[in-house]
Amino acid sequence: MTTTHRPHKHLRTEPLPTDPLKPRIVLVGNPNVGKSVVFNYLSGLYVDVSNFPGTTVEVSKASYLNYELFDTPGIYGVSSFNDEERVARDIILNGDIIINIVDAVHLERDLFLTQQLIDMGKRVGVVVNLLDEARRQKIAVDLERLEADLGVPVIGTVAVKNKGLDAVHELVVRAREGSQNRKLHAQLHEALSTVGSQGEALLLLEGDEVIAERHGVPPADISEREAIYIDRRNRVNRILQHAVSDRETGKRLAVMLGRWSVSPWFGFPILAVVLYLVYLFVGVLVAQDLVELTEGRIGKGIVEFHMKSWVAEHAATTVTVDVLDAEGEVAESRSFRFDEGLRGNPALWKEARALPGDRDAEYHFSFDNPWLVIMFGEFGAVSMTLTYLLFLLLPLVLGFYFALSVLEDSGYLPRLATLVDRALRFVGLNGRAVIPLILGFGCVTMATITTRLLGTQREKTIATTILQLAIPCSAQLGVIAALLATAGPLATVIYTAVIFSFLVAVGTVMHRALPGETSPLLIDLPHMRLPQLNNVTKKTLFKTWFFMKEASPWFFIGALVVSVLQVTGALSVIMDALQPLVVDWLQLPREAATAFVMGLVRRDFGAAGLYHLDLSAFQIVAALITITLFVPCVASLMVMLKERGLREGMLIWVGSLVLALFIGGVVSQVLI
């Protein structure tokens, strides 16, 4: 009689239960090579997922015939550098059979882990996946020769299409120890008197401090690890020469460009060109030309005008018409009073409409009814939210995410991480941190979540602090770019220098203050290619939708709060209270206090509040530095509290408020 398992999946924090009588099969491979597909194929319906004790890393476990089956996190090597590797290390050390899944397109990278598993003395079977992609790229893999050189059974699959997976069952039976370096093998056997297994002996020789501490011996010298790595790399290269042919991709321009992108000589000039192109697209084309059309012409000139005109038809209203000259300055201003609404005096309304003639004009509606002021006034919860979200921020966010998606889909971002790895180590991060830092320029909330990809809690704390204190989001960045464009190149240089110096100072202090070391960079480098329009469009729309969905309620709430404060007179009280800080310390107009009040809800909302103030170039610099370093938006605060805890999160929030006002004031006192 057989029992059918129903789908079963849950999360928990206690260790996965294991049966000591059952042998263990462990699936191991680099990230994104298809391990999960193989796991699902072997496990059938019963899947048990658990957070590994002491980490946030999920481990899947299932039953397969009379075996226990484990799926490990994607790793590039067996070691103890980060949570994923530590979790995978212990499961591999306790595994009886290792099924190593490798990517046929990236054998040069993946076989390094394969050879390490073989050096550990494990029974290994290799699944060469993604053979269809290899054929498409004209890469031929000789599986028989690969099996002969590695000394372990090898099969080929296209896992997502279920091709070749039936051979995995036989692979489990045939798995065996592979070809090992004799000299290294002898060294490992000598070390068996100290440790319990050949796997642990290898990690000990490779300088694994956790394994060394576990057995009470000093870790091996780093030179010994380098010697082992060099020998392993040479063995992998020899295997590749025999088993892989027609590797024409190495000659293509894309491969050459990919190599140049990580080269210190060519990488930084390429980075400068990329950043300049992004600036031209986001900072000039979108932030200036497109936003002028959407926000100025469509948002305020058409949508907001008709919305407020419709509201004013039956409501007591004063309409002020500012007629603009060719430079956009107010050349003439006149107010029209409508006690019974616009429909109560159509002739006067016609006169007001005709006042500008063929000149540009701005119409300002002042409602008598306080509820209409709250919803459709200067800071109206409906009118201001609609205009700012759809006609100011949406084009900025779309433009930024489009540029980011192009870089991501082209394969440039991982190379950028490799290029800046050494620089980021000065602030306690490795190159992988460049991804959340760049994402932060799109949405700090999303980027804070992405810090999970960093290897240690220490790096997550440093990256989160930098994101919350010094990285402006795409909406804020768009407003900053537009304001700096009016302030001139000197203002731009000063602003950039202050923000960059602050970022480095924060990272350096955190790096020195927090215990621990920076983990090494291990990252997959995909092929460079022309971005696929379909992929870029999907990524752009998805990320923009996420941002707008997250931002919209807070914009409405922020505008509503400010409007209520304005109607009740509390806004004037707050502005008076903030006057010593805003007027005397920051040397900004009294009205700038409103922007900082809105900035407590969202920094981009606060930055947008500076957009229409009459500021000098240096006042723009001081105001933008203050609002850039200001407290994170409410959504980011909530995510930060969840990721970093209440104490750490509130410390960052209060610290950002104090530092923003202090640094902005110092800059103002020096410049103005």
Side-chain angles (χ1 to χ4, degrees):
M1 180 178 177
T2 59
T3 303
T4 302
H5 291 294
R6 302 181 63 186
H8 178 82
K9 185 174 183 177
H10 60 262
L11 295 173
R12 60 187 180 188
T13 55
E14 68 271 23
L16 287 167
T18 57
D19 186 343
L21 300 179
K22 284 188 175 182
R24 299 170 184 174
I25 300 173
V26 182
L27 304 185
V28 182
N30 289 187
N32 305 317
V33 294
K35 281 190 296 91
S36 297
V37 181
V38 177
F39 179 83
N40 292 338
Y41 175 79
L42 292 176
S43 63
L45 297 177
Y46 188 90
V47 180
D48 196 359
V49 181
S50 173
N51 284 350
F52 200 80
T55 76
T56 57
V57 179
E58 287 186 346
V59 173
S60 298
K61 175 201 162 194
S63 294
Y64 164 67
L65 301 177
N66 62 331
Y67 299 95
E68 285 188 325
L69 179 66
F70 292 86
D71 186 13
T72 58
I75 56 172
Y76 297 94
V78 184
S79 56
S80 306
F81 290 128
N82 56 45
D83 285 348
E84 286 85 356
E85 290 182 353
R86 282 188 282 272
V87 169
R89 176 203 63 204
D90 288 341
I91 297 175
I92 292 169
L93 286 173
N94 291 304
D96 298 293
I97 297 172
I98 308 297
I99 300 300
N100 176 215
I101 296 92
V102 298
D103 182 345
V105 180
H106 297 103
L107 285 177
E108 184 176 357
R109 175 201 65 189
D110 291 14
L111 288 184
F112 191 84
L113 172 61
T114 307
Q115 195 61 62
Q116 187 185 26
L117 294 168
I118 291 173
D119 289 343
M120 294 175 76
K122 291 291 181 181
R123 291 174 58 195
V124 176
V126 175
V127 177
V128 180
N129 192 28
L130 298 166
L131 283 175
D132 56 340
E133 180 63 19
R135 281 192 289 270
R136 194 181 70 80
Q137 299 190 26
K138 300 179 180 179
I139 299 173
V141 182
D142 185 338
L143 297 180
E144 291 183 0
R145 186 59 194 259
L146 188 61
E147 179 169 327
D149 285 351
L150 290 172
V152 298
V154 175
I155 64 169
T157 64
V158 183
V160 293
K161 297 179 180 177
N162 208 28
K163 292 182 179 178
L165 286 178
D166 52 345
V168 177
H169 302 294
E170 186 182 350
L171 187 73
V172 171
V173 178
R174 295 175 56 215
R176 62 177 181 269
E177 293 187 24
S179 304
Q180 301 173 37
N181 179 298
R182 291 183 179 179
K183 180 181 177 184
L184 176 62
H185 188 69
Q187 286 180 284
L188 296 176
H189 269 255
E190 288 179 9
L192 284 178
S193 59
T194 306
V195 298
S197 68
Q198 184 173 328
E200 285 188 310
L202 178 65
L203 295 180
L204 195 64
L205 286 182
E206 292 182 357
D208 191 305
E209 294 181 353
V210 175
I211 298 298
E213 184 180 357
R214 185 179 293 174
H215 294 280
V217 296
D221 188 80
I222 190 171
S223 61
E224 196 160 358
R225 179 176 66 191
E226 290 178 353
I228 293 174
Y229 280 13
I230 291 172
D231 173 70
R232 187 176 297 152
R233 170 49 60 193
N234 289 335
R235 281 186 283 156
V236 169
N237 290 340
R238 285 195 291 271
I239 292 171
L240 288 170
Q241 289 176 2
H242 298 154
V244 181
S245 60
D246 197 15
R247 298 165 67 197
E248 293 182 353
T249 51
K251 301 176 183 177
R252 295 188 314 194
L253 176 62
V255 174
M256 189 180 299
L257 186 60
R259 288 175 179 168
W260 285 356
S261 298
V262 297
S263 159
W265 291 103
F266 297 103
F268 288 103
I270 290 175
L271 175 61
V273 172
V274 169
L275 291 178
Y276 182 66
L277 292 176
V278 170
Y279 166 76
L280 288 180
F281 177 70
V282 179
V284 177
L285 179 65
V286 176
Q288 296 180 39
D289 300 337
L290 183 60
V291 166
E292 182 181 354
L293 172 68
T294 57
E295 199 244 350
R297 299 285 178 181
I298 301 175
K300 287 186 176 297
I302 299 176
V303 176
E304 197 168 318
F305 172 78
H306 286 286
M307 179 195 301
K308 293 186 176 181
S309 299
W310 179 77
V311 173
E313 285 186 352
H314 301 286
T317 309
T318 298
V319 179
T320 301
V321 184
D322 289 338
V323 183
L324 307 179
D325 59 20
E327 284 74 36
E329 300 294 329
V330 178
E332 179 183 356
S333 183
R334 183 178 168 189
S335 296
F336 300 84
R337 177 62 187 172
F338 300 89
D339 292 324
E340 298 178 359
L342 303 183
R343 288 204 173 188
N345 193 343
L348 187 62
W349 177 229
K350 185 177 180 181
E351 180 182 346
R353 296 286 302 271
L355 179 63
D358 57 355
R359 297 171 294 178
D360 291 333
E362 293 179 349
Y363 288 77
H364 306 280
F365 293 77
S366 300
F367 303 105
D368 291 3
N369 187 319
W371 290 107
L372 293 181
V373 175
I374 290 174
M375 291 298 163
F376 302 100
E378 182 182 2
F379 306 106
V382 174
S383 56
M384 189 174 185
T385 301
L386 191 68
T387 301
Y388 275 18
L389 276 179
L390 295 185
F391 303 109
L392 175 61
L393 298 184
L394 181 59
L396 295 172
V397 175
L398 275 172
F400 176 82
Y401 280 131
F402 180 81
L404 184 65
S405 299
V406 167
L407 295 179
E408 187 178 358
D409 204 56
S410 67
Y412 180 71
L413 279 187
R415 286 169 173 79
L416 178 59
T418 305
L419 180 68
V420 301
D421 179 61
R422 180 172 294 181
L424 285 179
R425 289 184 176 279
F426 284 105
V427 294
L429 299 170
N430 65 34
R432 188 184 284 194
V434 78
I435 295 175
L437 293 181
I438 288 182
L439 278 176
F441 288 104
C443 174
V444 174
T445 306
M446 184 188 298
T448 303
I449 297 173
T450 316
T451 57
R452 292 177 182 181
L453 66 82
L454 301 181
T456 65
Q457 294 297 324
R458 179 177 184 273
E459 291 167 5
K460 292 171 186 175
T461 298
I462 295 174
T464 301
T465 305
I466 292 175
L467 281 168
Q468 299 291 340
L469 264 63
I471 302 293
C473 70
S474 59
Q476 191 183 4
L477 197 62
V479 179
I480 290 170
L483 283 170
L484 286 177
T486 65
L490 178 59
T492 304
V493 170
I494 295 173
Y495 169 83
T496 305
V498 172
I499 296 299
F500 181 75
S501 302
F502 179 76
L503 186 153
V504 173
V506 168
T508 303
V509 170
M510 298 285 291
H511 181 34
R512 295 183 183 281
L514 295 176
E517 298 292 332
T518 305
S519 64
L521 173 67
L522 297 169
I523 195 167
D524 183 16
L525 293 181
H527 287 294
M528 291 287 287
R529 64 174 188 178
L530 283 175
Q532 304 297 304
L533 182 60
N534 187 38
N535 290 343
V536 171
T537 303
K538 285 181 180 177
K539 289 176 181 177
T540 302
L541 294 179
F542 173 78
K543 290 173 180 174
T544 302
W545 165 250
F546 177 87
F547 180 91
M548 298 302 290
K549 189 174 75 168
E550 182 262 335
S552 298
W554 293 109
F555 260 76
F556 180 82
I557 292 171
L560 183 65
V561 169
V562 175
S563 292
V564 170
L565 292 176
Q566 182 193 29
V567 170
T568 59
L571 187 59
S572 295
V573 175
I574 293 174
M575 292 168 70
D576 290 339
L578 292 176
Q579 184 166 334
L581 275 176
V582 175
V583 179
D584 299 334
W585 176 239
L586 296 174
Q587 302 188 79
L588 298 174
R590 182 172 174 272
E591 293 74 18
T594 308
F596 294 120
V597 172
M598 292 191 294
L600 290 172
V601 181
R602 286 189 65 95
R603 281 190 296 194
D604 44 348
F605 205 3
L610 299 170
Y611 199 73
H612 300 291
L613 295 180
D614 185 17
L615 301 174
S616 67
F618 288 151
Q619 281 180 315
I620 288 176
V621 173
L624 288 182
I625 288 173
T626 306
I627 202 68
T628 301
L629 306 181
F630 212 55
V631 296
C633 69
V634 176
S636 289
L637 175 62
M638 293 298 109
V639 171
M640 181 171 61
L641 293 177
K642 178 177 179 297
E643 295 289 320
R644 310 305 322 149
L646 178 63
R647 181 174 173 274
E648 194 173 304
M650 290 309 300
L651 190 62
I652 293 174
W653 192 90
V654 174
S656 63
L657 179 64
V658 174
L659 288 172
L661 294 172
F662 174 74
I663 296 175
V666 169
V667 171
S668 174
Q669 296 295 325
V670 172
L671 293 179
I672 301 174

